[in-house]
């Protein structure tokens, strides 16, 4: 069985910072690198943040059933490949996926044992402030992001956990606790129990 933690949340909620922090702390956690057709940003690296591919390449992968889940997000394709899941969560590591709500729903169907975590901003005002830092002006694009954020937040009950990201250090510690609990789920401990049971007295 695969060990999967899904993190979703509107852009600007601090998801990536949280994941980066947790990955530094935990050696048992591996980041799932998605495929995307969006442009690479400054400080991003191909193969590390995303596998950056063209639209035709992505569509070919869809046709070839190469994705566990995929979605169109802000007019770009994003998807988690089957290869990524299989190569990175075959051992005892936990795979962490940063994906949107549409993707989380597909993962839930295919991997019911996955834990789904939703990260929300402390307020819409704070989200707007954080997005304004990136966009500089309150343009249509930013307004659309805020509307999309609300739409995503309305799906919170679909998730197992909701973290309101007031303070990234505190939220990271809470997320770490959730991952610790997941680590000891019975389906992950089978190999250990089996080993004990095999002992001859
Ligand atoms: P960004 O372009 O800011 O890196 O990501 C935009 C959105 O796409 C985020 O909400 C992120 O969680 C989501 N996303 C990233 N990778 C995937 C993926 O593989 N599948 C899905 N469904 N969403 C993804």
């Amino acid at each position: 069985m695969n060990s999967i933690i899904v993190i979703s949340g509107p852009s600007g909620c601090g998801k990536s910072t949280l994941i980066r922090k947790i990955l530094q702390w935990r050696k048992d956690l591996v980041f799932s690198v998605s495929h995307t057709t969006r442009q690479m940003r400054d400080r991003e690296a191909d193969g590390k943040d995303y596998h950056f591919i063209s639209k035709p390449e992505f569509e070919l992968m869809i046709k070839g059933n190469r994705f566990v889940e995929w979605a169109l997000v802000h007019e770009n394709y994003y998807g988690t490949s089957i290869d990524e899941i299989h190569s990175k969560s075959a051992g005892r590591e936990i795979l962490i996926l940063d994906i949107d709500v549409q993707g989380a729903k597909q993962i839930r169907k295919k991997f019911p044992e996955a834990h789904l975590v939703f990260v929300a901003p402390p307020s819409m005002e704070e989200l707007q402030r954080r997005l304004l830092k990136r966009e500089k002006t309150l343009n249509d694009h930013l307004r659309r992001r805020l509307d999309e954020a609300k739409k995503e937040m309305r799906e919170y009950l679909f998730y197992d956990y909701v973290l309101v990201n007031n303070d990234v250090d505190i939220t990271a510690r809470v997320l770490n606790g959730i991952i610790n609990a997941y680590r000891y789920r019975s389906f992950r401990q089978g190999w250990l129990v089996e080993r004990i049971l095999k002992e001859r007295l």
Side-chain angles (χ1 to χ4, degrees):
M1 224 181 278
N2 296 279
S3 299
I4 296 174
I5 300 269
V6 168
I7 312 283
S8 303
S11 48
C13 72
K15 241 179 343 177
S16 324
T17 317
L18 266 178
I19 295 175
R20 220 175 304 126
K21 253 183 192 297
I22 297 276
L23 282 168
Q24 277 171 5
W25 292 346
R26 305 190 67 115
K27 294 283 159 272
D28 59 350
L29 204 61
V30 189
F31 182 64
S32 161
V33 181
S34 298
H35 283 72
T36 185
T37 59
R38 86 144 157 75
Q39 291 286 318
M40 200 189 316
R41 295 179 188 142
D42 288 350
R43 290 200 294 263
E44 280 185 332
D46 190 20
K48 184 170 164 274
D49 299 283
Y50 283 104
H51 298 291
F52 293 95
I53 58 172
S54 67
K55 277 198 171 166
E57 282 173 317
F58 199 101
E59 282 160 358
L60 213 64
M61 283 182 74
I62 297 175
K63 273 200 189 131
N65 284 324
R66 303 262 310 275
F67 289 112
V68 171
E69 65 75 31
W70 65 269
L72 254 179
V73 188
H74 317 308
E75 288 141 38
N76 281 303
Y77 284 123
Y78 291 84
T80 310
S81 73
I82 294 175
D83 283 356
E84 191 69 17
I85 297 262
H86 285 170
S87 67
K88 291 193 179 165
S89 72
R92 295 204 195 111
E93 278 101 357
I94 299 171
L95 193 59
I96 188 159
L97 273 62
D98 171 349
I99 61 176
D100 81 329
V101 177
Q102 308 168 70
K105 288 186 170 172
Q106 296 173 60
I107 291 291
R108 171 68 100 211
K109 264 197 204 143
K110 292 185 181 157
F111 304 99
E113 71 282 3
H115 267 198
L116 273 49
V117 182
F118 190 88
V119 181
S123 66
M124 289 313 290
E125 197 184 347
E126 173 61 17
L127 186 68
Q128 178 173 310
R129 202 184 59 76
R130 289 181 193 172
L131 290 176
L132 265 173
K133 259 200 210 158
R134 291 187 196 166
E135 305 238 352
K136 310 283 183 240
T137 55
L138 187 63
N139 52 24
D140 281 353
H141 184 243
L142 196 145
R143 283 205 183 86
R144 226 176 23 242
R145 286 273 161 134
L146 289 170
D147 285 345
E148 278 162 16
K150 277 191 177 167
K151 216 165 93 190
E152 283 190 282
M153 280 167 65
R154 289 195 182 99
E155 303 265 12
Y156 75 97
L157 272 179
F158 184 78
Y159 287 77
D160 300 302
Y161 305 94
V162 173
L163 304 181
V164 175
N165 191 16
N166 247 317
D167 176 311
V168 75
D169 290 318
I170 295 172
T171 313
R173 269 184 269 144
V174 176
L175 180 58
N176 197 37
I178 292 169
I179 299 171
N180 267 338
Y182 187 70
R183 193 188 154 152
Y184 296 100
R185 288 281 305 275
S186 52
F187 81 87
R188 299 197 79 247
Q189 297 292 74
W191 66 278
L192 248 180
V193 178
E194 291 302 330
R195 202 175 71 187
I196 298 165
L197 286 171
K198 273 193 197 127
E199 245 175 65
R200 280 168 197 263
L201 295 177

Coordinates of all heavy atoms in Angstrom, one line a residue, residues 10 74 124 127-128 131 139-154:
P10 N -5.3 27.3 -1.3 CA -5.1 28.3 -2.4 C -3.8 28.9 -2.5 O -3.0 28.9 -1.5 CB -6.1 29.4 -1.9 CG -6.5 29.1 -0.5 CD -6.2 27.6 -0.3
H74 N -5.6 27.0 -13.5 CA -5.3 28.3 -14.1 C -4.8 28.2 -15.5 O -3.7 28.6 -15.9 CB -4.2 29.1 -13.3 CG -4.4 29.0 -11.8 ND1 -5.6 29.4 -11.2 CD2 -3.5 28.7 -10.8 CE1 -5.4 29.2 -9.9 NE2 -4.2 28.8 -9.6
M124 N -9.2 36.3 4.4 CA -9.2 36.7 3.0 C -8.3 37.9 2.9 O -7.6 38.1 1.9 CB -10.6 37.0 2.5 CG -11.4 35.7 2.3 SD -10.6 34.3 1.5 CE -10.5 34.9 -0.2
L127 N -4.8 36.9 2.8 CA -4.5 36.3 1.5 C -4.3 37.3 0.4 O -3.3 37.3 -0.4 CB -5.6 35.3 1.1 CG -5.3 34.5 -0.1 CD1 -4.2 33.5 0.1 CD2 -6.6 33.7 -0.6
Q128 N -5.2 38.3 0.4 CA -5.0 39.4 -0.6 C -3.7 40.1 -0.4 O -3.0 40.4 -1.4 CB -6.2 40.4 -0.4 CG -6.1 41.6 -1.4 CD -7.3 42.4 -1.3 OE1 -8.5 42.0 -1.4 NE2 -7.1 43.7 -1.2
L131 N -0.9 37.9 -1.8 CA -1.0 37.9 -3.2 C -0.5 39.2 -3.9 O 0.1 39.2 -4.9 CB -2.4 37.5 -3.8 CG -2.8 36.0 -3.5 CD1 -4.2 35.7 -3.9 CD2 -1.8 35.0 -4.2
N139 N -5.4 43.6 -9.6 CA -5.9 43.5 -11.0 C -6.9 42.3 -11.1 O -7.2 41.7 -10.1 CB -4.8 43.3 -12.0 CG -3.9 42.1 -11.5 OD1 -4.3 41.2 -10.8 ND2 -2.6 42.1 -12.0
D140 N -7.5 42.1 -12.3 CA -8.5 41.0 -12.5 C -7.9 39.7 -12.2 O -8.6 38.8 -11.6 CB -8.9 41.0 -14.0 CG -9.9 42.1 -14.2 OD1 -10.3 42.8 -13.2 OD2 -10.3 42.4 -15.4
H141 N -6.6 39.5 -12.5 CA -6.0 38.2 -12.3 C -6.0 37.9 -10.8 O -6.3 36.8 -10.3 CB -4.6 38.3 -12.8 CG -3.8 37.0 -12.7 ND1 -2.7 36.9 -11.9 CD2 -4.1 35.8 -13.2 CE1 -2.3 35.6 -12.0 NE2 -3.1 34.9 -12.8
L142 N -5.7 38.9 -10.0 CA -5.6 38.7 -8.5 C -7.1 38.5 -8.0 O -7.2 37.6 -7.1 CB -5.0 40.0 -7.9 CG -4.6 39.7 -6.4 CD1 -3.3 40.5 -6.1 CD2 -5.6 40.2 -5.4
R143 N -8.0 39.2 -8.5 CA -9.4 39.0 -8.1 C -9.9 37.6 -8.4 O -10.6 37.0 -7.6 CB -10.3 40.0 -8.7 CG -10.2 41.4 -8.1 CD -11.5 42.3 -8.3 NE -11.2 43.6 -7.8 CZ -10.7 44.6 -8.5 NH1 -10.3 44.4 -9.7 NH2 -10.5 45.7 -7.9
R144 N -9.5 37.1 -9.5 CA -9.8 35.7 -9.9 C -9.2 34.7 -8.9 O -9.8 33.8 -8.5 CB -9.3 35.5 -11.3 CG -10.4 34.8 -12.2 CD -10.1 34.5 -13.6 NE -8.7 34.5 -14.0 CZ -8.2 35.3 -14.9 NH1 -8.8 36.3 -15.4 NH2 -6.9 35.1 -15.3
R145 N -8.0 35.0 -8.6 CA -7.3 34.1 -7.6 C -8.0 34.1 -6.3 O -8.2 33.0 -5.6 CB -5.8 34.6 -7.4 CG -4.9 34.3 -8.5 CD -4.3 32.9 -8.3 NE -3.8 32.5 -9.6 CZ -2.6 31.9 -9.8 NH1 -1.8 31.7 -8.7 NH2 -2.2 31.5 -10.9
L146 N -8.5 35.3 -5.8 CA -9.2 35.3 -4.6 C -10.5 34.6 -4.7 O -10.9 33.9 -3.7 CB -9.5 36.8 -4.2 CG -8.2 37.6 -3.7 CD1 -8.5 39.0 -3.6 CD2 -7.7 37.0 -2.4
D147 N -11.2 34.7 -5.8 CA -12.5 33.9 -6.0 C -12.2 32.4 -6.0 O -12.9 31.7 -5.4 CB -13.2 34.3 -7.3 CG -13.8 35.7 -7.2 OD1 -14.0 36.2 -6.1 OD2 -14.1 36.3 -8.3
E148 N -11.1 32.1 -6.7 CA -10.8 30.6 -6.8 C -10.4 30.1 -5.4 O -10.8 29.0 -5.0 CB -9.6 30.4 -7.7 CG -10.0 30.3 -9.2 CD -8.9 30.6 -10.1 OE1 -7.7 30.5 -9.7 OE2 -9.2 30.9 -11.3
A149 N -9.8 31.0 -4.6 CA -9.4 30.6 -3.2 C -10.6 30.2 -2.4 O -10.7 29.3 -1.7 CB -8.6 31.7 -2.6
K150 N -11.7 31.1 -2.6 CA -12.9 30.9 -1.8 C -13.6 29.6 -2.2 O -14.1 28.8 -1.4 CB -13.9 32.0 -2.1 CG -13.6 33.2 -1.2 CD -14.7 34.2 -1.3 CE -14.5 35.4 -0.3 NZ -15.4 36.5 -0.6
K151 N -13.5 29.3 -3.6 CA -14.2 28.1 -4.1 C -13.5 26.9 -3.5 O -14.1 25.9 -3.1 CB -14.0 28.1 -5.6 CG -15.2 27.5 -6.3 CD -15.2 27.9 -7.8 CE -14.6 26.8 -8.6 NZ -14.4 27.1 -10.0
E152 N -12.1 26.9 -3.5 CA -11.4 25.8 -2.9 C -11.6 25.6 -1.5 O -11.8 24.5 -1.0 CB -9.9 26.0 -3.1 CG -9.4 25.8 -4.6 CD -7.9 25.8 -4.6 OE1 -7.3 26.9 -4.6 OE2 -7.3 24.7 -4.7
M153 N -11.7 26.8 -0.7 CA -11.9 26.7 0.7 C -13.3 26.1 1.1 O -13.4 25.4 2.1 CB -11.8 28.0 1.4 CG -10.3 28.4 1.5 SD -10.0 30.1 1.9 CE -10.7 30.2 3.5
R154 N -14.2 26.2 0.2 CA -15.6 25.7 0.5 C -15.5 24.1 0.4 O -16.5 23.5 0.9 CB -16.6 26.2 -0.6 CG -16.9 27.6 -0.3 CD -18.2 28.1 -1.0 NE -18.3 29.5 -0.7 CZ -18.0 30.5 -1.5 NH1 -17.5 30.3 -2.7 NH2 -18.1 31.8 -1.1

